[in-house]
Amino acid sequence: MRDEFLNELESELAKLEYEEIDAIIKYYDEMILDEIDDGKDEKTVIESLGSPREIAKEIVLENSLRIRPSNHSHKNNIYTYSPEGICKLECDTVTSKIEIIPSDDDNVVIEVANDSRYSDINVRNNGSKITIEEDIKLKIIGKIFNVQNADLKSEIIIHLPKDACFEKIECETTSGSINAEGIELENLKLSLGTVSGSIDLDGVIVNKLEIESVSGRLKLVDSKANKIEADSVSGMVKFEGCQCPNIEVETVSGSIDVNVEGDEEEYKVEISTIKGDKEYNPGAMYRLSMESVSGRINYSFM
Amino acid sequence: MDVQLKRGSIEVCVLAKLIKGDSYGYQIIKDLNAIVPISESTLYPILRRLENQGHLTSYSQAYQGRLRKFYSITPSGMKKVEKYLYDFEDLIRIYRFIERNYENER
């Protein structure tokens, strides 16, 4: 009830400056909790506050509050680095959608678009490592910064040149999704993680691939690596035509659907579920391991 | 009561309450309840205005795993209380005058 009230209030206040919304939501949240701690019933407290619409109206009238300008204050920045000597890239963000694509020229180009009222995205290059970090300015209790709000979503596009000597790329985002397409860097270890976003990889050829999510979907199409590890709690994992001699997929409740390019005889297949463990072709030289507590497991070769 | 006068008075009540010590939203409402019952939505704009005008400052403090915002009165807030008391002496004289004349006529 409290959450409902605060979320409604927040949407009624949507036109205000973020700092203002933040302060108001925190005020009402504290007030409600204090009244409940004082022995009042949650329902009574919420009802006596009145409707979120009326409250919002009153607050806006009373204060001639700062209304947020309607045009976005999206900031676009482009960083260009010569790939020489750079062997690592780390990208750690909260809301950003991350895209990794091949570069048109010989440089590493990082394109950043974000709402500067909400977060700063810092890009640094120390010669051997590029670091991209999102620094959130406002933390709010309600839902507005849970990034339903499209203009708050930031976007990072990483362009990688074909012959770059990257050894390791690590990208993390909380609510954003991660896409990579057409990346062919055979020495690269690519680690991608998201909490609620999805990860989509298409035509990615790397040395080692680690993808991880909590609730987001993991999808791998026409990709190749010497080792692939995919790990999700409730998200589904789907591989379509991947080439890899050592595959490990693990979920808790998400379904697993793996399609491998190759000969079934060459693979030792390990399946582990709550019902028990199975192993096929124990002597085979390649390995496909799939483990799930309650998710459905499916695999095929082509 | 005249809205402007009442609003101004509630502002000063809030400040006066803080003279003894810092306090937080719900406590302020409870303390004022006996004199002027105000709602949560009345208090918010008052606190905000007083803070913007520099009459009070706020800080957050952990309380049972959450944050509570405390308000403290500033020297400028003290001046506002003093000015209110001073100005009100004039008002009281006016009040007495009105009252005297009204009573005499009856």
Side-chain angles (χ1 to χ4, degrees):
Chain A
M1 270 202 91
R2 172 175 132 243
D3 283 348
E4 240 169 76
F5 172 86
L6 293 174
N7 284 338
E8 241 177 86
L9 180 59
E10 196 183 276
S11 24
E12 292 293 339
L13 296 167
K15 283 198 178 118
L16 299 180
E17 283 285 356
Y18 297 124
E19 291 91 341
E20 209 77 71
I21 304 175
D22 187 47
I24 295 167
I25 297 297
K26 280 181 181 148
Y27 171 86
Y28 277 94
D29 190 42
E30 181 194 313
M31 194 60 82
I32 293 166
L33 291 174
D34 275 337
E35 296 194 31
I36 292 171
D37 281 357
D38 202 23
K40 291 189 194 169
D41 162 66
E42 183 171 345
K43 194 166 172 245
T44 320
V45 174
I46 304 284
E47 276 169 9
S48 71
L49 284 172
S51 82
R53 170 158 296 179
E54 288 304 314
I55 294 174
K57 234 195 226 165
E58 196 177 329
I59 289 176
V60 175
L61 280 179
E62 268 290 329
N63 279 296
S64 54
L65 294 179
R66 287 169 297 153
I67 307 284
R68 191 152 37 90
S70 58
N71 58 331
H72 304 182
S73 57
H74 253 84
K75 211 169 69 181
N76 285 284
N77 278 320
I78 296 178
Y79 304 84
T80 306
Y81 303 115
S82 152
E84 213 171 306
I86 300 175
C87 54
K88 248 184 119 175
L89 186 148
E90 272 179 27
C91 179
D92 196 347
T93 76
V94 179
T95 64
S96 297
K97 177 184 166 196
I98 302 170
E99 209 169 312
I100 308 171
I101 52 173
S103 178
D104 293 334
D105 59 22
D106 299 335
N107 289 318
V108 180
V109 178
I110 296 169
E111 267 182 272
V112 168
N114 66 307
D115 190 320
S116 54
R117 293 166 306 186
Y118 170 61
S119 73
D120 281 330
I121 292 181
N122 302 308
V123 181
R124 286 189 308 271
N125 174 14
N126 76 357
S128 65
K129 184 167 111 180
I130 296 173
T131 318
I132 306 168
E133 270 173 344
E134 185 174 27
D135 193 7
I136 302 293
K137 291 175 177 165
L138 286 170
K139 294 204 170 75
I140 202 162
I141 323 171
K143 280 276 181 326
I144 205 157
F145 295 140
N146 281 0
V147 188
Q148 313 299 17
N149 204 332
D151 38 315
L152 285 178
K153 230 176 231 180
S154 44
E155 203 174 310
I156 296 170
I157 306 176
I158 302 167
H159 303 257
L160 297 177
K162 279 196 186 72
D163 46 1
C165 55
F166 277 97
E167 288 161 15
K168 199 170 171 189
I169 294 180
E170 275 180 29
C171 297
E172 295 277 341
T173 169
T174 305
S175 60
S177 58
I178 304 177
N179 293 332
E181 208 185 317
I183 298 299
E184 296 181 21
L185 293 169
E186 285 175 353
N187 294 320
L188 180 68
K189 179 180 170 192
L190 182 61
S191 303
L192 308 173
T194 172
V195 177
S196 59
S198 57
I199 298 180
D200 272 280
L201 306 180
D202 193 345
V204 170
I205 300 173
V206 293
N207 178 28
K208 195 172 173 204
L209 180 61
E210 290 175 358
I211 46 180
E212 210 178 299
S213 82
V214 177
S215 61
R217 164 177 61 94
L218 305 177
K219 192 174 173 190
L220 189 62
V221 179
D222 296 333
S223 293
K224 193 174 153 184
N226 291 322
K227 174 145 200 211
I228 298 176
E229 286 176 27
D231 201 324
S232 177
V233 178
S234 61
M236 64 168 238
V237 179
K238 194 174 166 72
F239 290 4
E240 280 174 28
C242 70
Q243 290 178 47
C244 177
N246 190 353
I247 303 171
E248 274 177 35
V249 183
E250 211 180 307
T251 72
V252 176
S253 63
S255 66
I256 298 176
D257 195 345
V258 174
N259 173 271
V260 185
E261 241 176 74
D263 195 347
E264 186 159 0
E265 260 100 78
E266 287 174 344
Y267 276 86
K268 177 172 92 168
V269 178
E270 302 160 12
I271 299 175
S272 170
T273 64
I274 199 156
K275 288 178 199 148
D277 299 343
K278 280 181 205 160
E279 202 180 288
Y280 304 98
N281 303 336
M285 65 176 165
Y286 301 146
R287 176 168 169 259
L288 167 60
S289 159
M290 292 166 288
E291 190 177 333
S292 179
V293 177
S294 62
R296 185 177 46 85
I297 296 180
N298 239 329
Y299 70 99
S300 59
F301 290 88
M302 66 174 212
Chain B
M1 197 172 173
D2 179 70
V3 180
Q4 276 315 113
L5 185 62
K6 189 173 174 183
R7 183 186 290 158
S9 300
I10 296 172
E11 282 189 13
V12 180
C13 282
V14 171
L15 288 174
K17 197 55 233 169
L18 297 175
I19 294 175
K20 257 198 200 159
D22 301 352
S23 190
Y24 56 94
Y26 183 51
Q27 190 59 46
I28 295 172
I29 290 183
K30 283 211 292 192
D31 288 341
L32 292 191
N33 202 35
I35 325 142
V36 268
I38 55 166
S39 73
E40 297 84 350
S41 303
T42 313
L43 182 64
Y44 180 78
I46 291 173
L47 289 171
R48 191 184 172 281
R49 200 162 40 235
L50 288 172
E51 188 163 13
N52 279 353
Q53 291 165 352
H55 299 317
L56 56 81
T57 54
S58 65
Y59 58 93
S60 290
Q61 209 171 62
Y63 166 79
Q64 295 192 347
R66 57 185 171 95
L67 285 180
R68 223 179 219 170
K69 199 169 179 184
F70 280 81
Y71 302 89
S72 30
I73 189 165
T74 62
S76 132
M78 278 303 278
K79 277 208 184 100
K80 190 175 161 80
V81 176
E82 285 156 12
K83 186 172 184 304
Y84 183 86
L85 291 172
Y86 179 80
D87 288 349
F88 222 81
E89 282 174 20
D90 282 346
L91 265 178
I92 290 171
R93 271 197 296 278
I94 294 166
Y95 173 83
R96 292 269 140 76
F97 173 80
I98 296 169
E99 188 187 46
R100 223 168 27 241
N101 283 284
Y102 180 73
E103 295 288 322
N104 289 348
E105 280 304 306
R106 290 219 301 187

mmCIF file of all heavy atoms in Angstrom, chain A residues 177-204:
data_model
loop_
_atom_site.group_PDB
_atom_site.id
_atom_site.type_symbol
_atom_site.label_atom_id
_atom_site.label_comp_id
_atom_site.label_asym_id
_atom_site.label_seq_id
_atom_site.Cartn_x
_atom_site.Cartn_y
_atom_site.Cartn_z
ATOM 1 N N SER A 177 20.398 -3.491 -20.829
ATOM 2 C CA SER A 177 20.687 -4.711 -21.560
ATOM 3 C C SER A 177 22.054 -4.568 -22.221
ATOM 4 O O SER A 177 22.585 -3.473 -22.350
ATOM 5 C CB SER A 177 19.608 -4.959 -22.606
ATOM 6 O OG SER A 177 19.541 -3.861 -23.474
ATOM 7 N N ILE A 178 22.607 -5.684 -22.647
ATOM 8 C CA ILE A 178 23.910 -5.662 -23.313
ATOM 9 C C ILE A 178 23.790 -6.391 -24.648
ATOM 10 O O ILE A 178 23.278 -7.512 -24.706
ATOM 11 C CB ILE A 178 24.997 -6.338 -22.455
ATOM 12 C CG1 ILE A 178 25.076 -5.694 -21.064
ATOM 13 C CG2 ILE A 178 26.355 -6.275 -23.152
ATOM 14 C CD1 ILE A 178 26.075 -6.356 -20.128
ATOM 15 N N ASN A 179 24.233 -5.729 -25.697
ATOM 16 C CA ASN A 179 24.236 -6.351 -27.018
ATOM 17 C C ASN A 179 25.642 -6.330 -27.579
ATOM 18 O O ASN A 179 26.340 -5.324 -27.447
ATOM 19 C CB ASN A 179 23.373 -5.555 -28.004
ATOM 20 C CG ASN A 179 21.916 -5.602 -27.646
ATOM 21 O OD1 ASN A 179 21.456 -6.565 -27.032
ATOM 22 N ND2 ASN A 179 21.189 -4.568 -28.005
ATOM 23 N N ALA A 180 26.030 -7.407 -28.234
ATOM 24 C CA ALA A 180 27.303 -7.394 -28.952
ATOM 25 C C ALA A 180 27.083 -8.081 -30.280
ATOM 26 O O ALA A 180 26.398 -9.101 -30.358
ATOM 27 C CB ALA A 180 28.383 -8.107 -28.151
ATOM 28 N N GLU A 181 27.644 -7.491 -31.316
ATOM 29 C CA GLU A 181 27.411 -8.045 -32.636
ATOM 30 C C GLU A 181 28.675 -7.960 -33.480
ATOM 31 O O GLU A 181 29.338 -6.915 -33.512
ATOM 32 C CB GLU A 181 26.280 -7.272 -33.314
ATOM 33 C CG GLU A 181 25.532 -8.138 -34.307
ATOM 34 C CD GLU A 181 24.485 -7.340 -35.060
ATOM 35 O OE1 GLU A 181 23.776 -6.545 -34.423
ATOM 36 O OE2 GLU A 181 24.407 -7.540 -36.279
ATOM 37 N N GLY A 182 28.999 -9.072 -34.119
ATOM 38 C CA GLY A 182 30.106 -9.078 -35.076
ATOM 39 C C GLY A 182 31.474 -8.768 -34.504
ATOM 40 O O GLY A 182 32.320 -8.204 -35.187
ATOM 41 N N ILE A 183 31.679 -9.117 -33.261
ATOM 42 C CA ILE A 183 32.988 -8.881 -32.657
ATOM 43 C C ILE A 183 33.868 -10.118 -32.881
ATOM 44 O O ILE A 183 33.522 -11.222 -32.476
ATOM 45 C CB ILE A 183 32.844 -8.613 -31.136
ATOM 46 C CG1 ILE A 183 32.013 -7.357 -30.887
ATOM 47 C CG2 ILE A 183 34.198 -8.505 -30.461
ATOM 48 C CD1 ILE A 183 32.599 -6.105 -31.468
ATOM 49 N N GLU A 184 34.994 -9.924 -33.541
ATOM 50 C CA GLU A 184 35.900 -11.052 -33.784
ATOM 51 C C GLU A 184 37.266 -10.722 -33.208
ATOM 52 O O GLU A 184 38.095 -10.095 -33.854
ATOM 53 C CB GLU A 184 36.000 -11.328 -35.282
ATOM 54 C CG GLU A 184 34.674 -11.769 -35.874
ATOM 55 C CD GLU A 184 34.761 -12.083 -37.364
ATOM 56 O OE1 GLU A 184 35.881 -12.337 -37.853
ATOM 57 O OE2 GLU A 184 33.712 -12.044 -38.025
ATOM 58 N N LEU A 185 37.476 -11.093 -31.981
ATOM 59 C CA LEU A 185 38.763 -10.860 -31.324
ATOM 60 C C LEU A 185 39.151 -12.157 -30.624
ATOM 61 O O LEU A 185 38.667 -12.475 -29.545
ATOM 62 C CB LEU A 185 38.642 -9.706 -30.314
ATOM 63 C CG LEU A 185 38.373 -8.311 -30.893
ATOM 64 C CD1 LEU A 185 38.014 -7.341 -29.801
ATOM 65 C CD2 LEU A 185 39.577 -7.807 -31.680
ATOM 66 N N GLU A 186 40.030 -12.897 -31.269
ATOM 67 C CA GLU A 186 40.248 -14.287 -30.846
ATOM 68 C C GLU A 186 40.999 -14.460 -29.538
ATOM 69 O O GLU A 186 41.016 -15.536 -28.969
ATOM 70 C CB GLU A 186 40.878 -15.082 -31.971
ATOM 71 C CG GLU A 186 39.808 -15.387 -33.026
ATOM 72 C CD GLU A 186 40.342 -16.065 -34.258
ATOM 73 O OE1 GLU A 186 41.576 -16.204 -34.375
ATOM 74 O OE2 GLU A 186 39.519 -16.447 -35.111
ATOM 75 N N ASN A 187 41.621 -13.398 -29.043
ATOM 76 C CA ASN A 187 42.317 -13.518 -27.757
ATOM 77 C C ASN A 187 41.495 -12.997 -26.590
ATOM 78 O O ASN A 187 41.934 -12.992 -25.456
ATOM 79 C CB ASN A 187 43.633 -12.741 -27.797
ATOM 80 C CG ASN A 187 44.596 -13.358 -28.777
ATOM 81 O OD1 ASN A 187 44.693 -14.586 -28.855
ATOM 82 N ND2 ASN A 187 45.263 -12.528 -29.551
ATOM 83 N N LEU A 188 40.314 -12.552 -26.907
ATOM 84 C CA LEU A 188 39.549 -11.809 -25.897
ATOM 85 C C LEU A 188 38.780 -12.693 -24.917
ATOM 86 O O LEU A 188 38.166 -13.682 -25.299
ATOM 87 C CB LEU A 188 38.544 -10.898 -26.624
ATOM 88 C CG LEU A 188 37.638 -10.042 -25.738
ATOM 89 C CD1 LEU A 188 38.453 -8.976 -25.026
ATOM 90 C CD2 LEU A 188 36.542 -9.402 -26.570
ATOM 91 N N LYS A 189 38.837 -12.275 -23.665
ATOM 92 C CA LYS A 189 37.921 -12.849 -22.689
ATOM 93 C C LYS A 189 36.811 -11.810 -22.484
ATOM 94 O O LYS A 189 37.076 -10.690 -22.055
ATOM 95 C CB LYS A 189 38.650 -13.114 -21.373
ATOM 96 C CG LYS A 189 37.729 -13.678 -20.315
ATOM 97 C CD LYS A 189 38.455 -13.951 -19.019
ATOM 98 C CE LYS A 189 37.442 -14.265 -17.938
ATOM 99 N NZ LYS A 189 38.042 -14.271 -16.621
ATOM 100 N N LEU A 190 35.604 -12.187 -22.808
ATOM 101 C CA LEU A 190 34.489 -11.245 -22.735
ATOM 102 C C LEU A 190 33.561 -11.663 -21.593
ATOM 103 O O LEU A 190 33.000 -12.752 -21.611
ATOM 104 C CB LEU A 190 33.731 -11.270 -24.077
ATOM 105 C CG LEU A 190 32.546 -10.325 -24.256
ATOM 106 C CD1 LEU A 190 32.981 -8.876 -24.130
ATOM 107 C CD2 LEU A 190 31.890 -10.538 -25.629
ATOM 108 N N SER A 191 33.440 -10.782 -20.590
ATOM 109 C CA SER A 191 32.560 -11.073 -19.447
ATOM 110 C C SER A 191 31.460 -10.036 -19.400
ATOM 111 O O SER A 191 31.735 -8.853 -19.297
ATOM 112 C CB SER A 191 33.311 -10.967 -18.122
ATOM 113 O OG SER A 191 34.398 -11.804 -18.110
ATOM 114 N N LEU A 192 30.212 -10.498 -19.465
ATOM 115 C CA LEU A 192 29.097 -9.568 -19.472
ATOM 116 C C LEU A 192 28.124 -9.942 -18.364
ATOM 117 O O LEU A 192 27.822 -11.120 -18.176
ATOM 118 C CB LEU A 192 28.382 -9.610 -20.823
ATOM 119 C CG LEU A 192 29.255 -9.442 -22.072
ATOM 120 C CD1 LEU A 192 28.440 -9.666 -23.332
ATOM 121 C CD2 LEU A 192 29.884 -8.048 -22.099
ATOM 122 N N GLY A 193 27.638 -8.942 -17.651
ATOM 123 C CA GLY A 193 26.703 -9.240 -16.578
ATOM 124 C C GLY A 193 25.610 -8.202 -16.465
ATOM 125 O O GLY A 193 25.840 -7.007 -16.658
ATOM 126 N N THR A 194 24.402 -8.650 -16.188
ATOM 127 C CA THR A 194 23.301 -7.721 -15.969
ATOM 128 C C THR A 194 22.384 -8.334 -14.913
ATOM 129 O O THR A 194 22.367 -9.546 -14.717
ATOM 130 C CB THR A 194 22.516 -7.442 -17.272
ATOM 131 O OG1 THR A 194 21.343 -6.677 -16.960
ATOM 132 C CG2 THR A 194 22.083 -8.720 -17.966
ATOM 133 N N VAL A 195 21.654 -7.484 -14.218
ATOM 134 C CA VAL A 195 20.729 -8.016 -13.229
ATOM 135 C C VAL A 195 19.391 -8.279 -13.904
ATOM 136 O O VAL A 195 18.951 -9.411 -14.040
ATOM 137 C CB VAL A 195 20.584 -7.065 -12.027
ATOM 138 C CG1 VAL A 195 19.552 -7.607 -11.041
ATOM 139 C CG2 VAL A 195 21.929 -6.908 -11.326
ATOM 140 N N SER A 196 18.753 -7.218 -14.375
ATOM 141 C CA SER A 196 17.422 -7.421 -14.932
ATOM 142 C C SER A 196 17.351 -7.235 -16.447
ATOM 143 O O SER A 196 16.329 -7.503 -17.049
ATOM 144 C CB SER A 196 16.426 -6.476 -14.254
ATOM 145 O OG SER A 196 16.838 -5.147 -14.456
ATOM 146 N N GLY A 197 18.437 -6.768 -17.037
ATOM 147 C CA GLY A 197 18.422 -6.604 -18.490
ATOM 148 C C GLY A 197 18.720 -7.918 -19.180
ATOM 149 O O GLY A 197 18.978 -8.929 -18.540
ATOM 150 N N SER A 198 18.689 -7.899 -20.505
ATOM 151 C CA SER A 198 18.996 -9.114 -21.229
ATOM 152 C C SER A 198 20.348 -8.968 -21.914
ATOM 153 O O SER A 198 20.846 -7.865 -22.101
ATOM 154 C CB SER A 198 17.908 -9.403 -22.254
ATOM 155 O OG SER A 198 17.777 -8.299 -23.113
ATOM 156 N N ILE A 199 20.924 -10.094 -22.293
ATOM 157 C CA ILE A 199 22.185 -10.074 -23.031
ATOM 158 C C ILE A 199 21.962 -10.793 -24.361
ATOM 159 O O ILE A 199 21.459 -11.914 -24.394
ATOM 160 C CB ILE A 199 23.312 -10.759 -22.231
ATOM 161 C CG1 ILE A 199 23.563 -10.001 -20.919
ATOM 162 C CG2 ILE A 199 24.596 -10.842 -23.058
ATOM 163 C CD1 ILE A 199 24.653 -10.593 -20.041
ATOM 164 N N ASP A 200 22.296 -10.127 -25.428
ATOM 165 C CA ASP A 200 22.130 -10.684 -26.770
ATOM 166 C C ASP A 200 23.457 -10.626 -27.506
ATOM 167 O O ASP A 200 24.010 -9.543 -27.690
ATOM 168 C CB ASP A 200 21.120 -9.826 -27.559
ATOM 169 C CG ASP A 200 19.709 -10.288 -27.335
ATOM 170 O OD1 ASP A 200 19.329 -11.268 -27.984
ATOM 171 O OD2 ASP A 200 19.009 -9.675 -26.502
ATOM 172 N N LEU A 201 23.928 -11.759 -27.942
ATOM 173 C CA LEU A 201 25.176 -11.779 -28.685
ATOM 174 C C LEU A 201 24.951 -12.435 -30.034
ATOM 175 O O LEU A 201 24.318 -13.476 -30.124
ATOM 176 C CB LEU A 201 26.253 -12.549 -27.916
ATOM 177 C CG LEU A 201 26.533 -12.118 -26.479
ATOM 178 C CD1 LEU A 201 27.621 -12.975 -25.876
ATOM 179 C CD2 LEU A 201 26.934 -10.659 -26.422
ATOM 180 N N ASP A 202 25.468 -11.808 -31.054
ATOM 181 C CA ASP A 202 25.278 -12.342 -32.399
ATOM 182 C C ASP A 202 26.612 -12.255 -33.147
ATOM 183 O O ASP A 202 27.193 -11.179 -33.233
ATOM 184 C CB ASP A 202 24.192 -11.515 -33.109
ATOM 185 C CG ASP A 202 23.717 -12.187 -34.386
ATOM 186 O OD1 ASP A 202 24.419 -13.105 -34.855
ATOM 187 O OD2 ASP A 202 22.667 -11.786 -34.899
ATOM 188 N N GLY A 203 27.062 -13.375 -33.645
ATOM 189 C CA GLY A 203 28.307 -13.390 -34.408
ATOM 190 C C GLY A 203 29.509 -12.913 -33.623
ATOM 191 O O GLY A 203 30.313 -12.129 -34.115
ATOM 192 N N VAL A 204 29.616 -13.371 -32.390
ATOM 193 C CA VAL A 204 30.741 -12.972 -31.554
ATOM 194 C C VAL A 204 31.771 -14.107 -31.535
ATOM 195 O O VAL A 204 31.433 -15.248 -31.220
ATOM 196 C CB VAL A 204 30.254 -12.647 -30.124
ATOM 197 C CG1 VAL A 204 31.413 -12.478 -29.166
ATOM 198 C CG2 VAL A 204 29.381 -11.400 -30.143
#
